[in-house]
Amino acid sequence: MKPSSSLPVPEIVESDETAPYWKGAREGRLVLPRCDRCSHVIWYPRQLCAACGSLSVSWFEASGAGAVYSYSVIRQAPGEFAGAVPYLLAYVELEEGPRVLTNLVDFETEPAIGQAVTAIFEKDATGAGLLRF
């Protein structure tokens, strides 16, 4: 099995709330919010801490390092993803704590649970980068 490394990159919709994340992604950097009150690292990027409800967050550059928490090989898909099968859909646990639903790309064989992975950003038509590992 050779999973696809040429997955479609849908157009990314930015908001003021997620702008620091997308700015970092355009630059190839993983920038995430962290709660100023409880230090919880927040995924999906937003201005509200899901752990304590605080509206006080600061943005920082994360390492981009993670480990495969779980994955599935997608062998059938609708729409523009149909031409990319098989591909890997995965949860990656970031070194900083959160688990991210994402795709794994450029794997010759199926990954192992716990396998180290590194963030990459695949650009959409606007130059924004979609997080994959």
Side-chain angles (χ1 to χ4, degrees):
M1 178 204 99
K2 180 163 176 24
S4 176
S5 61
S6 58
L7 291 165
V9 179
E11 185 176 339
I12 293 164
V13 179
E14 270 186 65
S15 69
D16 289 341
E17 186 174 36
T18 61
Y21 172 80
W22 293 115
K23 180 181 184 299
R26 276 191 297 281
E27 298 167 355
R29 300 179 306 118
L30 180 57
V31 178
L32 298 174
R34 181 176 17 229
C35 178
D36 294 331
R37 185 188 309 166
C38 73
S39 299
H40 177 75
V41 177
I42 303 163
W43 182 263
Y44 181 80
R46 56 187 169 265
Q47 296 289 337
L48 169 71
C49 177
C52 74
S54 174
L55 293 172
S56 179
V57 301
S58 300
W59 294 81
F60 74 101
E61 185 170 350
S63 67
V68 176
Y69 179 79
S70 180
Y71 72 93
S72 182
V73 179
I74 307 301
R75 298 187 191 283
Q76 295 182 19
E80 62 185 317
F81 280 83
V85 295
Y87 61 90
L88 296 167
L89 183 65
Y91 274 106
V92 168
E93 188 166 319
L94 298 177
E95 191 172 84
E96 292 79 11
R99 289 187 189 133
V100 177
L101 183 61
T102 187
N103 295 109
L104 302 178
V105 296
D106 296 329
F107 276 78
E108 293 295 324
T109 61
E110 288 188 32
I113 301 300
Q115 182 174 347
V117 291
T118 304
I120 63 164
F121 292 90
E122 293 188 342
K123 305 290 184 179
D124 76 352
T126 69
L130 186 64
L131 178 62
R132 294 192 167 136
F133 288 82

